[in-house]
Amino acid sequence: MVQPLVPGLYIVATPIGNLGDVSARAMAVLGGVAAVACEDTRVTGKLLHHLGIKQKLIRYDDHASDATRDHLLGIAATSPLALVSDAGTPLVSDPGYQLVVAARERGIVVTSIPGPSAAIVALTLAGLPSDRFLFAGFLPSKDKARREVLTELAAIKATLVFYETAPRLAAALGAIGEELPGRMVAVARELTKKFEECRSGSPAELIAHYAAHPPKGEIVLLIGPPGEVVTSEADVEALLKSALADRKPSQAAAEVARLTGADRKALYARALELK
Ligand code: SAM
């Protein structure tokens, strides 16, 4: 027999693409609460319809008025209330933080029903060190601010994980190539969906690939920690080409030798051929 849910706020993760990823517990909670607070009632309405669940939906995001938050907390104080976002785990680059803070302040029970989050799915696929990682949300869309964030995080000895959009991918990769040269990068795209892919390489290689195959869909961008330098021949070649874009052959060879440990004389000879 399903136990009735105690009053409180239930943070419920939902699929990031593949509807099969909704957990049995998420379904039980979504079916058992008094109402579901959600970012977009149409998006969550579709998910619940797919799951065969009828629920009262209340629109909520972190810009909601105090009155809306009070209303939701009034429900959660006496009945179970779920919070979902459009996809994935609420609070992870999604609404919910303000509501959780306010619920905790009022002594309302807060519990979380875990499930998919694109950042974690990407980390498991990318082939970059997963023992230490830093999730930093979306990279800023403006070039200067993006570079500032990258510089600020450059020395952190962990894999860096960002959310990104397809139209901004090339600019982000370009900035990574310049601000964090020599780092291995991975692009995880359309996770859990039909066209899921995870491609890794140097920023220059990835820029070249996505110039030829413009990316579509949702993207997680990962940057390997300092020290995880790119070392394959193709990576070294790509770095050299990238360095030659704005440096003399001797400077480009020296820079790539420093980053990769490859032989500087051989790099110089290749740089002259490429020039
Ligand atoms: N809360 C969500 C989570 O836990 O993953 C993230 C919400 S955030 C507003 C949306 C961003 O997450 C997208 O722009 C993309 O960067 C990333 N994302 C979401 N679903 C994805 C997927 N299926 N594949 C790759 N990235 C995804």
Side-chain angles (χ1 to χ4, degrees):
M1 204 183 76
V2 180
Q3 296 285 323
L5 299 169
V6 298
L9 178 61
Y10 292 72
I11 311 297
V12 182
T14 58
I16 56 168
N18 188 325
L19 295 179
D21 293 337
V22 68
S23 73
R25 193 162 160 236
M27 283 180 61
V29 168
L30 290 172
V33 290
V36 176
C38 58
E39 267 188 284
D40 184 326
T41 52
R42 278 170 312 169
V43 173
T44 300
K46 268 193 206 160
L47 173 69
L48 294 187
H49 179 75
H50 170 83
L51 300 175
I53 294 171
K54 274 203 154 188
Q55 262 303 353
K56 181 177 175 191
L57 300 179
I58 305 172
R59 218 192 88 65
Y60 175 79
D61 64 30
D62 281 334
H63 306 296
S65 65
D66 288 345
T68 303
R69 220 174 343 266
D70 281 350
H71 173 60
L72 291 175
L73 293 174
I75 298 174
T78 53
S79 318
L81 171 77
L83 172 74
V84 300
S85 56
D86 283 354
T89 300
L91 282 88
V92 179
S93 291
D94 262 345
Y97 170 67
Q98 300 290 352
L99 191 64
V100 168
V101 170
R104 290 173 61 90
E105 276 169 10
R106 293 190 194 188
I108 291 169
V109 171
V110 181
T111 189
S112 196
I113 317 304
S117 186
I120 300 296
V121 179
L123 186 71
T124 63
L125 291 181
L128 293 172
S130 55
D131 53 341
R132 280 165 63 94
F133 65 93
L134 186 143
F135 171 68
F138 282 92
L139 270 174
S141 56
K142 299 244 164 66
D143 188 55
K144 184 165 177 275
R146 183 194 284 129
R147 285 169 191 270
E148 276 168 13
V149 169
L150 290 171
T151 314
E152 182 195 342
L153 301 176
I156 292 176
K157 290 188 170 49
T159 292
L160 305 176
V161 185
F162 299 97
Y163 287 156
E164 194 44 277
T165 65
R168 299 202 306 235
L169 179 63
L173 289 169
I176 293 166
E178 285 168 22
E179 304 300 332
L180 282 67
R183 302 275 275 266
M184 181 64 102
V185 174
V187 174
R189 204 172 60 78
E190 291 291 87
L191 298 168
T192 78
K193 303 184 201 176
K194 188 171 174 195
F195 296 108
E196 173 176 297
E197 75 162 2
C198 185
R199 181 171 290 274
S200 53
S202 66
E205 275 183 315
L206 292 169
I207 288 170
H209 174 81
Y210 287 111
H213 308 91
K216 289 191 188 134
E218 303 193 275
I219 288 173
V220 182
L221 188 53
L222 304 97
I223 306 174
E228 296 285 320
V229 290
V230 285
T231 48
S232 80
E233 265 181 39
D235 289 334
V236 173
E237 175 94 358
L239 270 178
L240 189 59
K241 282 184 184 157
S242 157
L244 279 170
D246 55 6
R247 292 178 185 83
K248 292 183 193 159
S250 59
Q251 292 169 330
E255 171 75 354
V256 177
R258 183 179 67 76
L259 293 171
T260 62
D263 179 67
R264 191 162 65 85
K265 276 193 185 150
L267 285 170
Y268 179 60
R270 179 71 186 131
L272 290 176
E273 282 171 18
L274 289 169
K275 209 54 185 182

